[in-house]
Each structure stands twice: as C-alpha cells, then as structure tokens.
Amino acid sequence: MATRADVAKLAGVSTSTVSYALSGARPISEATRLRIEAAMRQLGYTPNALASGLAGRRSRIIALLFPAGPRVIASTDMEYVIAAADAARERGYHLVVWTTSGSDLEEVRRLRGTGLVDGVLLMEVLLQDERVRYLQDGDVPLALIGRTADFDDLAYADADFDRTAELAVEYLAGLGHRDLGLLNAPRHLLDIGSGACTRVAQSVAKAIDRAGLNLVALPCEHAAPAGREAFEDFFRKSPQTTGVISFNWEATVGLMQQAQKRGVAIPEQLSVVSLANSTGMVEITIPALTTISPPGPEIGRAAALALIERLEHPEAAPAQSLVMGPLVERGSSGPAPRSDAVGLFAARASRVHKPSLSAQRRSP
C-alpha cells in the first residue's frame, strides 16, 4: 500500500507538507495542494482519517444527514451521496451517511464538540429548516444539498428550478401543447415546505402563466400505483391534457403504465417530460423518458466541496451554486395531437375515466 512518504516523493514535497494538506494545520498553496491530491489519486493513497485528525485537531470526517422516514433512499438520492463521498475523499475527508430524526441533532452537536465530526451536509432541505438554525447555534459548520428560503449566509448547491421549469414549459409549448399537467411529490412534502417540490410547483406555475397555458397540478405519493391513479385524475379534471411534467420518478412509471393500459399512446397522444430521475433509470420506461433532470452527481459534489471550503476557509464567503440540467429529448415527448384528434381523445377519455359513484363521493 502507498504511504504518505510515497505521496510526498511523487508530488515533489516534504512528508510534512502532505500532512499539512491533509490536516489543514498550516496553509499551503493551491498549486501544491492540487499536486498532492493528484499524487494521492495516482497512488491510490487513502489517508487515515483518525490519524490525520489527531495531528491536525480534525477528524476529517463529515456527516451527511438524511432524514429518516417512510421512503427509502432511492437511486436518485444515491447519486448525490456517492458524488459527495467521492469529492470528500479526493480532498482527504471521509463522508458518513446518517439517517436522522430531530433528536439526533443533539448527538451531532456533541460529536462536533468532541472533534469526531468536522461538519455536516444536509439533504432533503425544507424552506424553513429548523436543523439549520440548530446546527448553527451549536457552531457546527454545514452546507446544504438544496436551499432554505433564506440562504444568503449558507453554503449550498441546488438545482436551478426556475430555469428548469421554464425550459420544460417552453419545450412543450413549442411542440404545440396547451393543456399540461404537473405530477409533483407527495402532499405532505408540500405541506411541510420541502424546498425542491415547492420550488418546482412555484416555478412551473410561473412559467405556465408567462406562456399563457393551462395547468392541472397534482401531488402524488412516490409509488407506481399512485401514478396510475394520477393518470385518471388528470383526465378527469382536464380531459384536454396532452403533456405532463413530472417531478416524481416512481409515480411517472405508474402514469405511463396506466396510459398504455387505457390505450393512450405516448407520445402521439400524451407527452411526458421528467424533471426528477436517476441517470440510469431513464431508459427503463417504454418509451424512454425525455428529461430535464438536475444532475445529482454535480450537485452532490459541489455541496461537499462547499462544506470543505467552509471548513478550511471559514472567513471566506460561503460557496453557492445553482446547477441546470440539459434537455435530453427521448421517445416520451412529441408534437401535440391535432386539434380534431385532441377533441376525439378528450371525449374518449371522459368516457373511459368517468369515476364511479363511490369515487365521486370520495372526491373533494
């Protein structure tokens, strides 16, 4: 296994300089630090986090807090986590994933006080997130994967939801679609002010208003059966719908399944554009999904580096970045049906999707 001396020799520096680069005990130039990091990668050298911490009064361990709840960590979440862990490792840090409840935050502050954790990454951020204030009051360095409503003094990396929503609406409008649906995250996330799905809802609504289009927005559980129900809801509330923008990967699968079951052709009669999915999952639907997805790996990496900069240069302004995903056109989107075809489709949909008497009683 490579040693610290091997890294020093390859980088052309002293062993103590490598130690300073890892521990942050003394400042070194950016050029020197980059040479050391390149040598570490080339040799496959992994620093001992505890030994570095003892030398530099740091553990070089950062914790990524993921709120515990009924939804498991999905593949989209793991893209953020893996990228953050890789970025941390490149800078000589180790990242641990910590599924938390509110009571765990006091333990995080205690660990910070003992030096076992240097800083914290927050995921699943709320617009009014009590975790931020709590950790700040405990003098715990932190950065966000996402944003709160007031983020001026916080380090973060987040998707640029305004630009993403505008691009999605403009794209579908350019294909001739006038009546759109928004398939969003579950209602309880909107109720508690989840930053991502709330910003999507607001940004899509603003883009729809600017474009002069019509919109039906539906919250939906993260599950394929809920997506199948959402398909029925869209066409019960707006039979003219020809395009759906989705911020709910699991429900999107169910919606597309239900379209197939009902004989609604994608994209000939219904276009679907996804704003939230794993890069490895877009090809599993039939047809493959058109996406404008925030690049999770880029955001996760940027957030981890923002935290490390906060740790190593606490006097500097917090690093902040908004990331825009590209439009990737695949088989799930196409031109809106002709007006006469839409009329026939709407009439057919209203007959096919007419709710039963019991469903009518349950409907709000």
Side-chain angles (χ1 to χ4, degrees):
M1 293 179 63
T3 66
R4 194 167 295 192
D6 296 329
V7 173
K9 182 177 180 180
L10 182 59
V13 299
S14 67
T15 303
S16 61
T17 301
V18 175
S19 298
Y20 298 149
L22 294 174
S23 68
R26 293 186 183 179
I28 61 172
S29 71
E30 182 69 7
T32 300
R33 182 179 63 77
L34 291 174
R35 288 207 314 276
I36 292 170
E37 290 175 357
M40 289 169 57
R41 289 194 296 271
Q42 183 175 336
L43 295 171
Y45 174 74
T46 301
N48 184 304
L50 292 179
S52 297
L54 290 173
R57 297 180 300 281
R58 287 186 187 172
S59 68
R60 303 191 75 79
I61 295 174
I62 57 180
L64 188 153
L65 303 192
F66 194 98
R71 186 167 74 94
V72 298
I73 298 179
S75 58
T76 49
D77 303 318
M78 288 307 300
E79 289 187 348
Y80 294 95
V81 174
I82 292 171
D86 288 344
R89 186 167 55 250
E90 291 171 9
R91 293 288 293 267
Y93 289 79
H94 291 255
L95 180 142
V96 295
V97 178
W98 194 334
T99 55
T100 65
S101 64
S103 60
D104 291 331
L105 295 179
E106 179 58 36
E107 186 175 356
V108 174
R109 293 209 314 197
R110 285 198 300 269
L111 288 174
R112 164 64 179 166
T114 62
L116 292 179
V117 172
D118 287 346
V120 167
L121 274 175
L122 290 183
M123 209 168 163
E124 298 286 296
V125 176
L126 305 180
L127 293 178
Q128 305 295 333
D129 203 313
E130 295 181 355
R131 298 175 300 170
V132 172
R133 177 69 62 83
Y134 187 83
L135 294 173
Q136 285 179 323
D137 289 346
D139 196 29
V140 179
L142 74 155
L144 313 180
I145 299 177
R147 284 174 292 163
T148 55
D150 182 9
F151 49 79
D152 289 344
D153 63 341
L154 295 171
Y156 69 81
D158 195 12
D160 190 335
F161 291 112
D162 282 342
R163 292 176 58 206
T164 298
E166 185 174 18
L167 178 57
V169 171
E170 287 180 351
Y171 169 68
L172 288 171
L175 291 172
H177 297 274
R178 306 294 302 170
D179 294 270
L180 303 181
L182 171 62
L183 186 65
N184 208 336
R187 167 61 65 188
H188 74 273
L189 292 179
L190 290 164
D191 289 342
I192 65 175
S194 171
C197 60
T198 302
R199 284 194 165 92
V200 164
Q202 295 170 345
S203 298
V204 169
K206 287 190 294 185
I208 287 287
D209 286 343
R210 286 194 297 268
L213 306 182
N214 304 310
L215 178 71
V216 171
L218 293 178
C220 188
E221 294 298 317
H222 289 293
R228 292 193 284 271
E229 293 178 8
F231 177 90
E232 303 291 343
D233 284 344
F234 276 129
F235 290 101
R236 177 170 59 85
K237 295 179 178 180
S238 177
Q240 301 286 343
T241 300
T242 62
V244 171
I245 298 170
S246 175
F247 191 62
N248 185 330
W249 156 248
E250 297 89 344
T252 302
V253 175
L255 181 139
M256 295 178 72
Q257 290 172 345
Q258 193 69 2
Q260 182 180 24
K261 179 180 178 180
R262 293 299 194 185
V264 176
I266 297 177
E268 291 80 7
Q269 293 173 304
L270 180 68
S271 288
V272 181
V273 176
S274 176
L275 308 185
N277 55 269
S278 166
T279 54
M281 304 296 283
V282 296
E283 299 287 350
I284 72 169
T285 59
I286 300 175
L289 275 169
T290 293
T291 58
I292 316 175
S293 291
E298 185 176 345
I299 294 173
R301 178 180 180 82
L305 294 177
L307 175 58
I308 291 170
E309 288 302 311
R310 201 70 164 154
L311 294 171
E312 297 182 351
H313 306 285
E315 73 288 345
Q320 301 177 338
S321 57
L322 290 178
V323 181
M324 175 70 182
L327 168 63
V328 181
E329 192 171 31
R330 300 185 180 89
S332 69
S333 61
R338 300 188 317 272
S339 58
D340 56 340
V342 171
L344 289 172
F345 175 48
R348 178 173 178 269
S350 66
R351 293 195 300 271
V352 171
H353 305 300
K354 184 176 181 180
S356 65
L357 182 60
S358 59
Q360 292 179 44
R361 290 186 182 129
R362 290 195 302 270
S363 298

